[in-house]
Amino acid sequence: MGLRVTEVLWQEKTPYQELAVYRTAQYGLMLVLDQAVQTTDADEFFYHEMLVHVPLVAHPDPRRVLIIGGGDGGTLREALKHPSVERVDMVEIDLRVVEAGRRFFPALSASFADPRANLLIADGIRHVAEAPPGEYDCILVDSTDPVGPAVGLFAADFYRNCHRALGEQGILTVQSESPLANRDLIREVGGRLAGIFPSSGVYLGPVPTYPTGLWSYSYGSKGADISRFDPERADRLSTRYYNAAVHTGACRLPPFLLENG
Amino acid sequence: MGLRVTEVLWQEKTPYQELAVYRTAQYGLMLVLDQAVQTTDADEFFYHEMLVHVPLVAHPDPRRVLIIGGGDGGTLREALKHPSVERVDMVEIDLRVVEAGRRFFPALSASFADPRANLLIADGIRHVAEAPPGEYDCILVDSTDPVGPAVGLFAADFYRNCHRALGEQGILTVQSESPLANRDLIREVGGRLAGIFPSSGVYLGPVPTYPTGLWSYSYGSKGADISRFDPERADRLSTRYYNAAVHTGACRLPPFLLENG
């Protein structure tokens, strides 16, 4: 499908996973964890913008944001674009991912320098379990695939702790894999979220270098569902893909997701 | 990127191109022309629905439709879903593609049996050049990449003939390659269409098995731009991906398409 590695820039086994940075012919530099593409220069904006802006624009006034994972800094960069945001706690378990981001992806990791950003190298599951009730307006789970260190980030216990750590109109959004290759996982995650949050659902967006090129994001909301949002707030953001029309289009579940198989 | 061929079902050199049908592990059967994926069982609906329904729903009353290419029958199948459509002429240059479609993709080629469908094995460029003025309400160009037999389908002369062959509110829509890999082509096509039609533009949609997973469709309209449409007509269609919200989301140009490079 046209992805060619031209140079291996970095490769190591961290305490949590295998980390590699490649130069590619088509997508610039690429961060890979446990053989799965996480971020490339050319298409990271699709993923980071859709993970962040849909919930943050749907929330009436997001001030305190928690990011779990997201060591490269891209999710943090997008969250900081919202003028209402006063503090973003980012809890990444693997310091080596942050260091690789700072070294190879400066356009993403520059966000760490923002005074509103608060980076913690720690276990996100434990952080949420110990957070004071109502501490956050939005929680964004920018995790790897549901194997290895990320398994617990797809569990009902974790979602329940997120619910407790969220304020009144709080929204939890999690990356939930490909709607073509992982439909069963999306339904499991959706079932768990629906059992915990009054409003929940899934939305889709393209990510060219992820398997199948189409990605899903699942959410649980203590307030309104995410299709209710202020289009002017959406369109005031400086983005490369996301806008109010994209937000509207992403929110309606395409029928193929309801099919069996 | 996870595409594995498990069986070669057909392979031949037709008078126009190399044709192959593979069985794949992830996407079912796959039609390939000149080494480029055209159609797979699992994801053909994204492409065919977006190529067809955006213009046909934007047109106030599409009755006569012309399809150039589209030998597998998927575009025809989608066009026939519109109750207003009285006749669809489909002009495919390569009979062997139609035959491969009938043999390996019955869910797509079943549409040929519809009494409103009119299949011509002929040169689409010549067909449009010789069509009476105002003959069609919508023209859909379901072509291969702009090499080999399809080059002329991206030329200004062809677009001018389409303009002449379209009725008062007529819309021409053409597949126009990947917005990540072929931005220059999209701009060239857009420039040509803008020089001929009063309204023109580009919209995007996912196609997992096409290069980069994200695809563009360019259009020229003699009537309104395609963002003006009746959402109830969109939502009455029986589809797997397309709906009114997707139509709205697709119509606004994402900023990254305006960037240089």
Side-chain angles (χ1 to χ4, degrees):
Chain A
M1 305 295 281
L3 188 73
R4 194 159 52 82
V5 171
T6 56
E7 193 183 350
V8 177
L9 297 167
W10 195 260
Q11 216 160 20
E12 72 168 291
K13 206 166 158 19
T14 79
Y16 299 97
Q17 51 207 336
E18 287 186 28
L19 184 162
V21 178
Y22 302 129
R23 192 182 303 283
T24 70
Q26 299 89 350
Y27 294 95
L29 299 199
M30 170 181 281
L31 174 68
V32 176
L33 296 177
D34 284 341
Q35 280 86 54
V37 177
Q38 303 298 313
T39 290
T40 82
D41 282 333
D43 78 340
E44 55 83 16
F45 65 93
F46 289 104
Y47 171 78
H48 292 127
E49 291 183 7
M50 291 303 279
L51 178 67
V52 172
H53 299 314
V54 172
L56 262 69
V57 169
H59 190 285
D61 186 29
R63 292 165 186 266
R64 300 149 303 149
V65 175
L66 171 65
I67 296 168
I68 307 287
D72 56 43
T75 297
L76 177 61
R77 179 196 62 200
E78 295 304 318
L80 292 167
K81 286 182 181 171
H82 291 258
S84 65
V85 166
E86 296 164 357
R87 193 184 93 218
V88 184
D89 292 346
M90 190 184 122
V91 184
E92 164 65 55
I93 201 166
D94 194 342
L95 175 63
R96 298 302 290 159
V97 178
V98 174
E99 290 175 338
R102 294 183 84 95
R103 179 159 167 191
F104 296 107
F105 298 91
L108 284 75
S109 55
S111 53
F112 291 124
D114 190 295
R116 296 172 292 162
N118 185 24
L119 172 63
L120 294 93
I121 302 301
D123 178 351
I125 293 169
R126 194 165 157 184
H127 180 91
V128 170
E130 294 173 355
E135 179 76 358
Y136 296 107
D137 298 311
C138 288
I139 299 178
L140 309 170
V141 181
D142 182 7
S143 75
T144 48
D145 298 334
V147 287
V151 168
L153 296 174
F154 291 81
D157 272 353
F158 171 68
Y159 296 157
R160 266 189 291 270
N161 285 332
C162 287
H163 181 275
R164 199 184 43 77
L166 282 166
E168 254 181 48
Q169 312 267 332
I171 304 176
L172 164 68
T173 301
V174 307
Q175 78 79 5
S176 52
E177 307 287 308
S178 161
L180 287 149
N182 306 92
R183 218 178 292 168
D184 289 347
L185 176 85
I186 293 170
R187 285 181 187 161
E188 283 170 34
V189 165
R192 281 171 209 150
L193 291 168
I196 296 165
F197 287 86
S199 170
S200 65
V202 57
Y203 59 94
L204 306 183
V207 187
T209 59
Y210 284 10
T212 80
L214 188 63
W215 214 245
S216 79
Y217 310 84
S218 297
Y219 73 93
S221 169
K222 294 170 96 163
D225 78 86
I226 57 157
S227 67
R228 298 212 185 154
F229 69 101
D230 174 0
E232 287 181 23
R233 254 178 72 205
D235 285 337
R236 268 198 302 272
L237 292 163
S238 166
T239 55
R240 300 177 69 196
Y241 177 67
Y242 173 86
N243 60 39
V246 165
H247 188 134
T248 299
C251 286
R252 262 251 318 265
L253 197 67
F256 81 90
L257 262 179
L258 303 171
E259 296 164 8
N260 289 321
Chain B
M1 306 295 280
L3 190 74
R4 193 160 52 85
V5 171
T6 56
E7 195 183 348
V8 177
L9 297 168
W10 195 259
Q11 215 157 19
E12 73 169 288
K13 206 167 159 16
T14 80
Y16 299 97
Q17 52 208 339
E18 288 187 29
L19 184 162
V21 178
Y22 302 128
R23 191 182 302 282
T24 70
Q26 299 88 349
Y27 294 95
L29 299 199
M30 170 182 279
L31 174 69
V32 176
L33 297 176
D34 284 342
Q35 280 84 53
V37 176
Q38 303 298 314
T39 288
T40 82
D41 283 333
D43 77 341
E44 55 83 16
F45 64 95
F46 289 103
Y47 171 78
H48 292 128
E49 291 182 7
M50 291 304 279
L51 178 67
V52 172
H53 299 314
V54 172
L56 263 71
V57 169
H59 191 284
D61 187 29
R63 293 164 185 267
R64 300 149 302 148
V65 175
L66 171 64
I67 296 166
I68 307 286
D72 56 43
T75 297
L76 178 60
R77 179 197 61 197
E78 295 304 317
L80 291 168
K81 286 182 180 171
H82 291 258
S84 64
V85 166
E86 295 165 357
R87 194 184 92 218
V88 183
D89 292 346
M90 188 183 122
V91 184
E92 164 65 55
I93 202 167
D94 193 343
L95 176 61
R96 299 300 292 157
V97 178
V98 174
E99 290 175 337
R102 295 183 83 95
R103 179 159 166 195
F104 295 106
F105 298 91
L108 284 73
S109 55
S111 52
F112 291 124
D114 190 293
R116 296 171 292 163
N118 185 23
L119 172 63
L120 294 92
I121 303 300
D123 179 351
I125 293 169
R126 192 165 160 183
H127 179 90
V128 170
E130 295 173 354
E135 179 74 358
Y136 296 107
D137 298 310
C138 288
I139 300 178
L140 309 170
V141 182
D142 182 6
S143 76
T144 48
D145 297 335
V147 288
V151 169
L153 296 174
F154 292 81
D157 273 353
F158 171 68
Y159 296 157
R160 267 189 289 271
N161 285 332
C162 287
H163 181 275
R164 199 184 42 78
L166 282 167
E168 254 180 52
Q169 313 267 331
I171 304 174
L172 163 68
T173 301
V174 309
Q175 79 80 4
S176 50
E177 307 287 308
S178 162
L180 286 149
N182 307 92
R183 220 180 290 169
D184 289 347
L185 176 86
I186 293 171
R187 285 181 188 161
E188 283 169 35
V189 165
R192 282 171 209 152
L193 291 168
I196 297 166
F197 287 87
S199 170
S200 63
V202 58
Y203 60 94
L204 306 182
V207 188
T209 59
Y210 284 8
T212 78
L214 188 62
W215 216 244
S216 80
Y217 309 84
S218 296
Y219 74 92
S221 169
K222 295 171 94 162
D225 78 86
I226 57 156
S227 67
R228 297 208 183 161
F229 70 101
D230 174 0
E232 287 182 21
R233 254 177 72 205
D235 285 337
R236 268 199 301 272
L237 292 164
S238 166
T239 54
R240 299 177 69 196
Y241 177 67
Y242 173 86
N243 60 40
V246 164
H247 188 133
T248 299
C251 285
R252 265 254 312 268
L253 197 68
F256 81 90
L257 263 179
L258 302 172
E259 296 163 8
N260 289 321

Coordinates of all heavy atoms in Angstrom, one line a residue, chain A residues 10-22 30-38 94 96-97 100 144 147-149:
Chain A
W10 N 16.0 5.3 14.8 CA 16.1 5.0 16.2 C 15.4 3.6 16.4 O 14.4 3.4 15.8 CB 15.4 6.0 17.1 CG 15.8 5.9 18.5 CD1 15.0 5.4 19.5 CD2 17.0 6.3 19.1 NE1 15.6 5.4 20.7 CE2 16.9 6.0 20.5 CE3 18.2 6.9 18.7 CZ2 17.9 6.3 21.4 CZ3 19.2 7.2 19.6 CH2 19.0 6.9 20.9
Q11 N 15.9 2.8 17.3 CA 15.2 1.6 17.6 C 15.7 1.2 19.0 O 16.9 1.1 19.3 CB 15.7 0.5 16.6 CG 14.6 -0.5 16.2 CD 14.9 -1.2 14.9 OE1 16.0 -1.2 14.4 NE2 13.8 -1.7 14.3
E12 N 14.8 0.9 19.9 CA 15.2 0.4 21.2 C 14.0 -0.3 21.9 O 12.9 -0.2 21.5 CB 15.5 1.6 22.1 CG 14.4 2.5 22.5 CD 14.7 3.5 23.6 OE1 15.0 3.1 24.8 OE2 14.7 4.7 23.3
K13 N 14.4 -1.1 22.9 CA 13.3 -1.7 23.8 C 13.3 -0.9 25.0 O 14.2 -0.9 25.8 CB 13.8 -3.2 24.0 CG 12.6 -4.0 24.3 CD 12.8 -5.5 24.3 CE 11.7 -6.2 25.1 NZ 10.4 -5.4 25.3
T14 N 12.2 -0.2 25.2 CA 12.0 0.5 26.5 C 11.4 -0.4 27.5 O 11.2 -1.6 27.2 CB 11.0 1.7 26.3 OG1 9.6 1.1 26.3 CG2 11.2 2.4 24.9
P15 N 11.3 0.0 28.8 CA 10.7 -0.9 29.8 C 9.3 -1.3 29.4 O 8.8 -2.3 30.0 CB 10.7 -0.1 31.1 CG 11.8 1.0 30.8 CD 11.8 1.3 29.4
Y16 N 8.6 -0.7 28.5 CA 7.2 -0.9 28.3 C 6.9 -1.5 26.9 O 5.9 -2.2 26.6 CB 6.4 0.3 28.4 CG 6.5 0.8 29.8 CD1 7.3 1.9 30.2 CD2 5.7 0.3 30.8 CE1 7.4 2.3 31.5 CE2 5.8 0.7 32.2 CZ 6.7 1.7 32.5 OH 6.8 2.1 33.8
Q17 N 7.8 -1.2 25.9 CA 7.5 -1.6 24.5 C 8.7 -1.4 23.6 O 9.7 -0.8 24.0 CB 6.3 -0.7 24.0 CG 6.5 0.8 24.2 CD 5.3 1.6 24.4 OE1 4.2 1.2 23.9 NE2 5.4 2.7 25.0
E18 N 8.5 -1.9 22.4 CA 9.6 -1.6 21.4 C 9.3 -0.3 20.7 O 8.1 0.0 20.2 CB 9.6 -2.7 20.4 CG 10.3 -3.9 21.0 CD 10.5 -5.0 20.0 OE1 10.7 -4.7 18.8 OE2 10.4 -6.2 20.4
L19 N 10.3 0.6 20.6 CA 10.1 1.9 20.1 C 11.0 2.1 18.9 O 12.2 1.7 18.9 CB 10.5 2.9 21.2 CG 10.3 4.4 20.9 CD1 10.3 5.2 22.2 CD2 11.3 5.0 20.0
A20 N 10.5 2.6 17.8 CA 11.3 2.8 16.6 C 10.9 4.1 15.9 O 9.7 4.5 16.0 CB 11.2 1.7 15.6
V21 N 11.9 4.8 15.3 CA 11.6 6.0 14.5 C 12.2 5.7 13.1 O 13.4 5.4 13.0 CB 12.2 7.3 15.1 CG1 11.9 8.5 14.2 CG2 11.6 7.5 16.5
Y22 N 11.3 5.8 12.1 CA 11.8 5.5 10.7 C 11.6 6.8 9.9 O 10.7 7.6 10.1 CB 11.0 4.4 10.1 CG 11.0 3.1 10.8 CD1 9.8 2.5 11.1 CD2 12.1 2.5 11.1 CE1 9.7 1.2 11.7 CE2 12.1 1.3 11.8 CZ 10.9 0.6 12.1 OH 10.9 -0.6 12.7
M30 N 8.3 8.7 11.1 CA 7.3 7.9 11.6 C 7.7 7.2 13.0 O 8.7 6.6 13.1 CB 7.0 6.8 10.6 CG 6.0 5.7 11.1 SD 5.8 4.4 9.8 CE 4.6 5.2 8.8
L31 N 6.8 7.4 14.0 CA 7.0 6.8 15.3 C 6.2 5.5 15.3 O 5.0 5.5 15.1 CB 6.5 7.7 16.4 CG 6.5 7.2 17.8 CD1 7.9 7.0 18.3 CD2 5.7 8.1 18.8
V32 N 6.9 4.4 15.7 CA 6.3 3.1 15.7 C 6.5 2.5 17.1 O 7.6 2.5 17.7 CB 7.0 2.2 14.7 CG1 6.4 0.8 14.7 CG2 6.7 2.8 13.3
L33 N 5.4 2.0 17.8 CA 5.5 1.3 19.1 C 5.0 -0.1 18.9 O 3.9 -0.3 18.4 CB 4.7 2.0 20.1 CG 5.1 3.5 20.4 CD1 4.2 4.1 21.5 CD2 6.6 3.5 21.0
D34 N 5.8 -1.1 19.3 CA 5.4 -2.5 19.2 C 4.8 -2.8 17.7 O 3.7 -3.4 17.6 CB 4.3 -2.9 20.2 CG 4.9 -3.1 21.6 OD1 6.2 -3.3 21.7 OD2 4.2 -3.1 22.6
Q35 N 5.6 -2.4 16.8 CA 5.3 -2.6 15.3 C 4.0 -1.9 14.8 O 3.6 -2.1 13.7 CB 5.1 -4.1 15.0 CG 6.4 -4.8 14.9 CD 7.0 -5.3 16.2 OE1 6.4 -6.0 17.0 NE2 8.2 -4.9 16.5
A36 N 3.4 -1.0 15.6 CA 2.2 -0.3 15.1 C 2.5 1.2 15.0 O 3.1 1.8 15.8 CB 1.1 -0.5 16.1
V37 N 2.1 1.7 13.8 CA 2.4 3.1 13.5 C 1.6 4.0 14.5 O 0.4 3.8 14.7 CB 1.9 3.5 12.1 CG1 2.0 5.0 11.8 CG2 2.6 2.7 11.0
Q38 N 2.3 4.9 15.1 CA 1.6 5.9 16.1 C 1.4 7.2 15.5 O 0.4 7.8 15.6 CB 2.4 6.0 17.3 CG 2.7 4.7 18.1 CD 1.5 4.0 18.5 OE1 0.6 4.7 19.1 NE2 1.3 2.7 18.3
D94 N 5.6 6.0 29.5 CA 6.9 5.7 29.0 C 7.7 6.9 28.6 O 7.5 7.6 27.6 CB 6.7 4.8 27.7 CG 8.0 4.1 27.3 OD1 9.1 4.6 27.7 OD2 7.9 3.1 26.5
R96 N 10.5 7.3 27.5 CA 11.3 7.2 26.2 C 10.4 7.7 25.0 O 11.0 8.2 24.0 CB 11.7 5.7 26.0 CG 12.7 5.2 27.1 CD 13.9 6.0 27.2 NE 14.8 5.9 26.1 CZ 15.8 6.7 25.7 NH1 16.0 7.8 26.4 NH2 16.5 6.5 24.6
V97 N 9.1 7.5 25.1 CA 8.3 8.0 24.0 C 8.3 9.5 24.0 O 8.4 10.2 22.9 CB 6.8 7.5 24.2 CG1 5.9 8.1 23.1 CG2 6.7 6.0 24.1
A100 N 11.7 10.5 22.5 CA 11.7 10.3 21.1 C 10.9 11.5 20.4 O 11.3 12.0 19.3 CB 11.1 9.0 20.7
T144 N -2.0 3.2 22.8 CA -1.7 2.2 21.8 C -2.8 1.2 21.6 O -3.8 1.3 22.3 CB -0.3 1.5 22.2 OG1 -0.4 1.1 23.5 CG2 0.8 2.5 22.0
V147 N -3.3 -4.1 23.6 CA -2.4 -5.2 24.0 C -1.3 -4.6 24.8 O -1.1 -3.4 24.7 CB -1.7 -5.9 22.7 CG1 -2.8 -6.8 22.0 CG2 -1.1 -4.9 21.8
G148 N -0.6 -5.4 25.6 CA 0.6 -4.8 26.4 C 0.1 -3.8 27.3 O -0.9 -3.9 28.0
P149 N 0.9 -2.6 27.4 CA 0.6 -1.7 28.5 C -0.8 -1.0 28.4 O -1.2 -0.4 29.4 CB 1.7 -0.6 28.3 CG 2.3 -0.8 26.9 CD 2.0 -2.3 26.6

